[in-house]
Amino acid sequence: LSLLNTKVNSYNLSVLNPNMQKLLLYNCVNIDSTSVGLFNFPELKELALNNCSIYSDILLAKIFKKLPKLEKINLSSTYVSYFTIREIIKSCPNISCLNLSTIYGNISNFHSILITDKFTNLVYLNLSFSSITDCAVNAMVKKLKAIKYLYLSYTYIKEISAFRLLTSFPTL
């Protein structure tokens, strides 16, 4: 199911099929404590919250606690903190695709190292427009053995490290 420019509330989430496997929310507003309680989709494998207004990172973390089968997460242009990333790592062990591009709250080397340590089976990772540097590249080269799509545009990675990435991952 894909919803664009929608006010997310208890009604429009409660009528959805609880066995749904894909929920894509784009430019949605008012994801608050009343709607978070209704993110009861135990079979959900893909969640996109692109450019959504979520009232706090604690609410976002509560959403991920309820979705242990997630494999794909897209939080592009959404506020994400260390707390949220930690909850994703703890609650969603099967992540293979992760998009954290242009997020508000920014991704640092510390965040990217946490992500690559936990999600060694990532196939897709987008950290574009983050503040990661060459230090994060070293962690990626060591841990991301299954990566096929790696997006690092507009980061602080130097050309030599980018070259190292390309030569280290034959599947890119």
Side-chain angles (χ1 to χ4, degrees):
L1 173 68
S2 182
L3 299 173
L4 177 64
N5 299 323
T6 304
K7 181 177 180 180
V8 176
N9 58 39
S10 57
Y11 173 74
N12 60 18
L13 284 177
S14 66
V15 298
L16 300 177
N17 181 348
N19 295 318
M20 174 175 32
Q21 292 194 2
K22 188 176 194 179
L23 178 60
L24 310 175
L25 302 174
Y26 300 102
N27 300 318
C28 293
V29 295
N30 293 345
I31 299 176
D32 62 12
S33 58
T34 62
S35 54
V36 168
L38 296 166
F39 268 86
N40 291 318
F41 307 109
E43 301 302 316
L44 199 68
K45 294 188 185 294
E46 182 174 353
L47 176 64
L49 295 170
N50 294 64
N51 200 32
C52 290
S53 63
I54 300 170
Y55 286 111
S56 83
D57 58 336
I58 294 170
L59 295 177
L60 190 55
K62 285 181 181 180
I63 290 172
F64 290 113
K65 281 183 181 180
K66 295 174 157 252
L67 306 172
K69 291 188 178 180
L70 275 180
E71 296 172 4
K72 298 178 181 180
I73 299 174
N74 186 338
L75 296 173
S76 178
S77 300
T78 299
Y79 178 79
V80 176
S81 71
Y82 166 75
F83 181 74
T84 305
I85 290 172
R86 196 177 68 202
E87 193 57 52
I88 292 170
I89 288 169
K90 187 168 76 174
S91 301
C92 307
N94 304 315
I95 299 300
S96 62
C97 297
L98 184 60
N99 185 342
L100 297 174
S101 67
T102 322
I103 64 164
Y104 306 105
N106 213 334
I107 295 292
S108 68
N109 287 331
F110 179 70
H111 297 109
S112 63
I113 291 168
L114 277 177
I115 291 164
T116 54
D117 277 349
K118 176 64 178 177
F119 301 127
T120 56
N121 292 322
L122 278 174
V123 174
Y124 175 100
L125 178 61
N126 189 339
L127 298 175
S128 297
F129 297 95
S130 69
S131 61
I132 64 170
T133 66
D134 298 336
C135 178
V137 171
N138 294 330
M140 289 177 200
V141 167
K142 290 177 185 173
K143 301 285 185 173
L144 297 179
K145 301 302 180 193
I147 200 79
K148 291 184 180 171
Y149 304 95
L150 183 60
Y151 298 92
L152 301 171
S153 302
Y154 301 99
T155 61
Y156 296 100
I157 295 172
K158 296 178 182 149
E159 287 180 25
I160 190 73
S161 291
F163 179 74
R164 181 171 178 227
L165 278 171
L166 289 174
T167 57
S168 297
F169 298 122
T171 58
L172 282 178

